[in-house]
Amino acid sequence: MTIGVWVLGDQLWAGQSALQSCGCSTVPPGGNRQPTPVIFIESLHHAQELPYHLQKLVLLWSAMRHFADELRQDGWDVTYKQGIDFKTPLLAWIEQHQIIELRVMTPTDRPFAKLIEQLDLPCKITLTPSNRFIWNDQDLISWANSRKRLVMEDFYREGRRRFNVLMEGDQPIAGRWNFDKENRKPPKGKLNLPEALWFQPDQMTQEVIDWVRASPEFKDSQDYWSIEPFQWGVTRQQALQVLEFFIQTRLSEFGPYQDAMVTGEQTMWHAMLSPYLNLGLLHPLEVLEAAEQAYYQNQTEWELNSVEGFVRQILGWREYMHCIYLHMGEDYPSSNYFNHTQPLPGFYFTGDTKMNCLHQVLTQVKETGYAHHIQRLMVLSNFGLIAGVSPQELQDWFHAAFVDGYDWVMQTNVIGMGQFADGGLMASKPYAASANYINNMSDYCKHCAYDRRDRTGENACPFNFFYWDFLDRHQDKLKKNHRMGQIMFNLARFSDEERQLIRDMQLDAAAQVLRRLQAVKRPG
Ligand code: FAD
Ligand code: SF4
């Protein structure tokens, strides 16, 4: 009787439940000890479902290949296959190893779980419970079912208590749960920004780069995404180095400038840990413990707002997003509260726009597949929202463009948080903003062809007229939201003439975007 394990691309650590459930060798009844068969599959069909960033493909496949090698060295019987689909290599491997039970850790992404359900393999399939998050799935579902409103702050406090993080008895350390107010400093004056930790590709990674570059399947994407310099870590060892580097050089200053954006500074004090966490190279609990321990060791010099701010990201936002994903039904990704249907502007793929904020962030995404949270939320997603872009088109773009993008984290962040397309199930108001916000939190407006102060006129910043027109277009829905009261009051003071002018500018800009969109050839 042979049990085999299929390791999925975002389950790359030895402690994952399917590997753990077998051990690296087993003794069949009456037989000798045998190494457990394990399979990894790179599916070309799956990789072509969206026009993925080339660095995302390289990161995933190189990390899989490295992890497969590590398991081999630890005594597992590893098969590594590349195929069009998943089924053909699986069938051959099952037959070769006479596998009667296939174990897979339950996939986090729903479409992948469905794909496995429909595989129709000639052996039993056992899904082992996922152990990749801090909360287990059952507890998350129970928490969500027990609430009328799924408020992140409530969830976060429950997590702090439950896992005893930064607590003194049943109270938060220093008597406060939340330091958000201290963590919104604009980037004024001279900032001493830390360096990021990047890596040179080793031979295995270089082979993947060369292969992806030469593959006709990904030819179109080469006009849009840079494949080199490829500088991401691809092993657990490197991921641990990034964690250590973050704790040593950034954590103590993480908080105050969390929302700030500076030209040419890709990462500020952000951790750059999401690609590694989402592949399974790091576990969120070890990240959390490392941050908390560093705080207690440096308590006399470090401010609590930075460490609390980081803990809030990992134990709060990340786990909460997973909770929402588990709780919401299958139709969640098609939510469209504002009925937005504009196509995604072609410049999301090229970076070619006169709007400097978008140009800067899109160019960075092209080069690295990464942008930090506020760049994603208040530049890329904000523009989509106020310009009325289809949430589903925007989500597909985010999914393709970001090295850390997966279904579970994309839907909640783009559909829910960024686009308010779920009508406010998780966000208490839409994250919509004019140039005022971007000017306050960045230096982008200083170098822009548009005037951040103008709402109308030839040089008016598009964020302004799209923003005010968004409020005007949707005032029936937005007036009901008590957090929008002041801004809707401000809108009511605009003259009819100004509203009409803003509407015309918005319509004209939207038509221009459409015209340009038709001129841009998109990948995929
Ligand atoms: P830091 O700012 O240093 O934060 C530390 C960690 O906290 C991150 O590594 C991440 O694991 C976690 N975290 C913080 N906020 C969130 C959140 N809202 N959701 C999930 N985890 C969070 N995150 C992804 O992992 N994948 C995505 O595809 C993704 N898409 C996003 C799209 C939009 C529109 C928005 C607004 C946010 C998105 N996020 C996504 C969340 C967040 O922006 C990234 O996790 C973060 O920018 C990653 O960079 P970092 O590791 O330097 O994060
Ligand atoms: Fe962006 Fe407008 Fe500022 Fe230009 S002026 S950088 S378009 S917000």
Side-chain angles (χ1 to χ4, degrees):
M1 156 173 150
T2 309
I3 298 174
V5 178
W6 179 16
V7 175
L8 307 183
D10 60 351
Q11 305 180 342
L12 306 181
W13 89 106
Q16 58 112 307
S17 62
L19 290 172
Q20 281 289 302
S21 73
C22 302
C24 73
S25 59
T26 43
V27 186
N32 295 325
R33 183 162 283 281
Q34 304 271 340
T36 308
V38 175
I39 187 164
F40 291 76
I41 306 167
E42 292 175 10
S43 156
L44 278 180
H45 175 72
H46 197 62
Q48 286 175 283
E49 282 175 359
L50 288 173
Y52 288 114
H53 200 302
L54 299 173
Q55 293 193 29
K56 183 170 187 165
L57 298 176
V58 174
L59 172 63
L60 175 70
W61 288 338
S62 180
M64 283 170 68
R65 291 178 192 194
H66 280 86
F67 182 56
D69 256 14
E70 283 169 28
L71 288 185
R72 224 173 255 130
Q73 281 161 27
D74 288 345
W76 302 79
D77 178 4
V78 175
T79 301
Y80 197 101
K81 288 283 178 204
Q82 210 173 41
I84 302 298
D85 58 10
F86 291 108
K87 190 166 177 178
T88 315
L90 273 173
L91 284 174
W93 173 74
I94 287 168
E95 195 185 322
Q96 186 196 345
H97 292 270
Q98 310 259 300
I99 285 167
I100 62 154
E101 182 184 347
L102 172 66
R103 292 198 185 159
V104 190
M105 181 164 89
T106 305
T108 312
D109 284 358
R110 225 171 256 136
F112 219 94
K114 257 214 175 118
L115 183 147
I116 292 178
E117 234 175 75
Q118 291 164 355
L119 272 176
D120 190 23
L121 297 176
C123 67
K124 176 180 169 201
I125 301 180
T126 305
L127 294 179
T128 59
S130 167
N131 58 353
R132 63 178 295 188
F133 290 92
I134 299 171
W135 285 66
N136 71 48
D137 291 9
Q138 214 39 58
D139 287 348
L140 283 181
I141 292 168
S142 306
W143 181 86
N145 286 341
S146 71
R147 323 288 300 184
K148 268 207 185 113
R149 294 220 57 218
L150 304 176
V151 178
M152 187 336 245
E153 187 66 29
D154 298 343
F155 175 82
Y156 168 62
R157 292 181 188 187
E158 176 61 27
R160 291 268 299 271
R161 285 191 204 96
R162 201 175 273 225
F163 301 100
N164 194 24
V165 181
L166 297 180
M167 296 293 289
E168 279 167 344
D170 61 353
Q171 290 303 309
I173 186 169
R176 275 174 69 186
W177 293 103
N178 190 319
F179 291 79
D180 270 359
K181 278 202 185 110
E182 279 102 308
N183 289 349
R184 292 192 190 119
K185 275 196 179 174
K188 302 281 183 278
K190 171 129 183 58
L191 297 177
N192 268 334
L193 291 156
E195 294 288 311
L197 182 62
W198 294 109
F199 301 91
Q200 289 292 321
D202 64 6
Q203 193 187 337
M204 193 180 272
T205 303
Q206 194 59 50
E207 277 167 18
V208 184
I209 294 173
D210 295 343
W211 185 83
V212 170
R213 189 187 274 123
S215 296
E217 286 85 357
F218 309 115
K219 193 168 172 298
D220 281 356
S221 296
Q222 308 212 5
D223 294 340
Y224 301 98
W225 311 123
S226 310
I227 193 164
E228 287 184 294
F230 177 90
Q231 303 182 96
W232 294 100
V234 290
T235 63
R236 173 160 166 79
Q237 251 248 304
Q238 289 174 327
L240 283 169
Q241 282 179 48
V242 177
L243 172 61
E244 176 65 16
F245 187 78
F246 167 68
I247 301 262
Q248 296 298 332
T249 66
R250 294 161 171 237
L251 176 58
S252 63
E253 305 290 328
F254 177 83
Y257 296 103
Q258 245 181 92
D259 290 2
M261 302 174 277
V262 174
T263 304
E265 295 296 340
Q266 295 168 343
T267 66
M268 306 290 290
W269 280 271
H270 291 273
M272 318 250 330
L273 288 173
S274 51
Y276 310 118
L277 281 162
N278 294 355
L279 285 170
L281 295 177
L282 291 175
H283 195 280
L285 192 59
E286 71 183 325
V287 172
L288 197 60
E289 285 170 354
E292 193 188 22
Q293 196 186 13
Y295 174 69
Y296 285 126
Q297 280 165 2
N298 297 282
Q299 212 168 352
T300 46
E301 288 125 62
W302 286 15
E303 300 291 342
L304 183 54
N305 61 314
S306 281
V307 181
E308 189 282 317
F310 182 71
V311 165
R312 172 176 293 271
Q313 307 306 311
I314 300 287
L315 184 58
W317 283 110
R318 189 171 190 273
E319 295 286 318
Y320 173 74
M321 289 307 192
H322 181 222
C323 174
I324 301 284
Y325 184 74
L326 283 176
H327 181 70
M328 296 305 173
E330 293 198 6
D331 49 357
Y332 188 73
S334 54
S335 315
N336 194 348
Y337 180 66
F338 293 119
N339 294 321
H340 281 166
T341 54
Q342 284 288 334
L344 183 78
F347 60 70
Y348 272 69
F349 285 99
T350 61
D352 187 11
T353 163
K354 282 198 312 181
M355 290 179 270
N356 189 41
C357 51
L358 277 162
H359 170 72
Q360 293 297 335
V361 179
L362 288 164
T363 307
Q364 177 186 318
V365 173
K366 249 168 106 82
E367 286 168 2
T368 61
Y370 172 88
H372 71 65
H373 186 68
I374 293 300
Q375 293 174 314
R376 297 186 204 206
L377 184 63
M378 299 312 293
V379 179
L380 300 174
S381 173
N382 176 23
F383 185 79
L385 174 64
I386 59 182
V389 172
S390 146
Q392 285 66 38
E393 279 212 23
L394 194 71
Q395 187 204 234
D396 281 354
W397 177 82
F398 266 101
H399 198 146
F402 281 84
V403 292
D404 58 10
Y406 295 87
D407 202 55
W408 69 268
V409 67
M410 225 14 118
Q411 281 182 21
T412 44
N413 274 296
V414 181
I415 299 284
M417 184 188 254
Q419 297 301 294
F420 205 78
D422 60 10
L425 289 170
M426 50 182 290
S428 57
K429 73 179 182 69
Y431 284 96
S434 67
N436 255 348
Y437 178 90
I438 294 174
N439 180 51
N440 192 33
M441 295 312 295
S442 78
D443 63 354
Y444 296 145
C445 299
K446 278 189 202 143
H447 314 285
C448 187
Y450 293 107
D451 193 324
R452 65 176 174 81
R453 287 159 301 201
D454 290 352
R455 284 200 286 257
T456 55
E458 210 176 306
N459 249 357
C461 163
F463 276 81
N464 290 341
F465 54 81
F466 274 125
Y467 173 69
W468 288 106
D469 191 64
F470 164 77
L471 299 181
D472 203 10
R473 276 194 325 267
H474 297 299
Q475 46 175 314
D476 288 350
K477 284 177 174 152
L478 296 174
K479 267 182 186 161
K480 292 184 206 145
N481 185 317
H482 72 280
R483 292 198 61 203
M484 298 297 289
Q486 180 60 47
I487 205 72
M488 298 313 283
F489 176 75
N490 293 349
L491 175 71
R493 296 196 326 211
F494 286 21
S495 65
D496 286 350
E497 195 190 352
E498 183 166 18
R499 279 180 188 215
Q500 189 55 49
L501 218 54
I502 287 173
R503 166 63 44 89
D504 292 346
M505 300 221 29
Q506 185 275 125
L507 289 174
D508 190 44
Q512 267 186 43
V513 163
L514 262 183
R515 274 199 300 280
R516 262 192 276 140
L517 177 74
Q518 278 145 10
V520 173
K521 180 174 161 272
R522 301 209 230 174

